[in-house]
Amino acid sequence: MSHQFDRTSLREYDIRGIVGKTLGEADAKAIGRGFATRVRRVGGTRVAVGYDGRHSSPVLEAALIAGLTESGVDVVRIGMGPTPMLYYAEATLEVDGGIQITGSHNPAEYNGFKMVLQHAPFFGADIQDLARLAAEGDWESGAGTVSQADIIDDYVGRLMAGYGGGAYRIGWDCGNGASGPVIEKLTKLLPGEHHLLFTEVDGNFPNHHPDPTEEKNLADLKRLVADKKLDFGLAFDGDGDRIGAIDGEGRVIWGDQILSILAVPVLKELPGATIIADVKASQMLFDRIRELGGEPLMWKTGHSLIKTKMKETHAPLAGEMSGHIFFAHDFYGFDDAQYAAVRLIRAVHMIGKSMTEIRGAMPAFVNTPEMRFQVDEARKFAVVDEVLDRLEAEGADVNRTDGARVTTPDGWWLLRASNTQDVLVARAEARDQAGLDRLLAMIDAQLAASGLVRGEQAAH
């Protein structure tokens, strides 16, 4: 027995594809067999399995469990819930790993698998290793058992442990994603007044796409906050590992701005601590961390890479522009949007100003959304290398942590290759529009020198 995966489904941080086209039951079973083999070869015996609200999730779960048990691993089913609930199960139950079936914030026809082995992210070479094990049919065999664990109430209780006072009037938009039932339970326990949108889990996402980093997906939440005159609003992606927020005036609080608020109580308690943000984050954030007495660290984009760097630097808090927020301070070091929401309420309370005042006091910058443009897979990393070589030859101020991040008197711009798609990603931020135009002209000149045009690509 051997199995070949569709190569496009093997991503850097997870396995993900279009169900029935690039991902199906046979793949799920092979993932189970390969992951169980890895678990057994490090002396493990049990794996937790959860899934999100997509229509294809139960069928993939059955196939995954068949693969895990046939390779001799016992499975603990935790049922449907957000990805962080699976991470919580893996951190607290007596298991040796965990798998969440989730399409994250992708459209409804997608699904996939996020994995954790012995409390560490399973990514990159690990995912390629599953493909190798499958191709060679190099799987352990056995007869594992299947049991159930109902952990949602324990998980909600653990989220409540992050609460530190303050009663606010808050809007919550779950976008029909997997976090709905958790948020319903959580808001019954939190003081204040809570208005909930789209908590019914529906894999068709009938109201809006569950990706809070795109402003158009926050329209319903903005309406709710305005109509009810709420203090602020919180939103979640399809599998509950990314958070979005708006203030009482409906202004978006972007991922790096959320992190700048969360950093305040953390650095009060842990002066001098390292706080990590990805290369797409605003210069405002790095300056703010330093101003609060922390040590800012710019790192590569990608949840697995950030988790690994947090362990290495003992950082209590990290975040990405995409709304992944990671707490190791009083928590387990994984990205959990539900927990980040509770800690955000606590941070606002500790700062002692309204969310609208906090957002209003942030320095104003003009920036682009994330600009993405197709480029041949074989060419994407080469283009970034060519740009870096030219910039360094010109003596530009370049940070090469993840692609090219260039600082100029106007602000900064970034060009990096996506780890998960055949695209280049660019972003720029300046103090005014004229400065932003100059930065965009620099990006265009670099692309042109490598034979590419930025073009009128849709921002993502």
Side-chain angles (χ1 to χ4, degrees), residues 87-303:
Y87 293 158
Y88 170 75
E90 197 275 336
T92 59
L93 299 177
E94 286 181 12
V95 293
D96 306 292
I99 303 180
Q100 173 80 357
I101 298 164
T102 174
S104 190
H105 58 281
N106 281 70
E109 65 273 19
Y110 282 80
N111 216 329
F113 301 83
K114 288 183 181 172
M115 293 160 277
V116 193
L117 181 60
Q118 293 186 318
H119 312 318
F122 188 91
F123 70 107
D126 295 314
I127 287 171
Q128 297 305 322
D129 192 43
L130 291 185
R132 183 189 61 75
L133 293 171
E136 294 169 10
D138 176 13
W139 293 324
E140 299 288 324
S141 53
T145 62
V146 182
S147 60
Q148 313 274 343
D150 185 7
I151 67 158
I152 186 166
D153 290 332
D154 288 351
Y155 173 59
V156 171
R158 184 63 189 82
L159 296 175
M160 275 303 294
Y163 171 72
Y168 298 95
R169 301 175 64 244
I170 305 173
W172 304 72
D173 183 347
C174 299
N176 301 106
S179 60
V182 168
I183 295 303
E184 284 180 349
K185 285 176 177 283
L186 178 66
T187 50
K188 284 193 174 84
L189 300 175
L190 284 169
E193 186 186 312
H194 302 282
H195 297 267
L196 277 52
L197 292 175
F198 317 134
T199 55
E200 187 188 333
V201 180
D202 184 338
N204 294 325
F205 307 122
N207 294 290
H208 61 75
H209 188 60
D211 180 354
T213 59
E214 288 204 33
E215 189 158 359
K216 63 177 189 214
N217 297 325
L218 298 171
D220 296 304
L221 184 61
K222 287 183 182 186
R223 204 172 301 120
L224 174 71
V225 167
D227 290 350
K228 305 256 186 226
K229 299 187 172 50
L230 303 180
D231 296 323
F232 53 94
L234 301 167
F236 304 90
D237 78 336
D239 72 328
D241 60 6
R242 301 190 310 145
I243 189 172
I246 60 171
D247 73 357
E249 292 176 5
R251 292 176 294 192
V252 178
I253 305 168
W254 298 104
D256 48 4
Q257 295 173 323
I258 291 173
L259 195 61
S260 77
I261 299 170
L262 292 168
V264 176
V266 171
L267 288 170
K268 213 170 250 173
E269 207 169 308
L270 302 170
T274 297
I275 294 185
I276 302 173
D278 71 334
V279 291
K280 297 182 206 166
S282 167
Q283 188 57 44
M284 174 284 287
L285 172 65
F286 299 104
D287 294 346
R288 179 73 174 136
I289 291 168
R290 198 165 274 123
E291 190 183 299
L292 292 166
E295 190 55 56
L297 176 63
M298 191 186 292
W299 195 240
K300 298 173 183 177
T301 296
H303 67 95

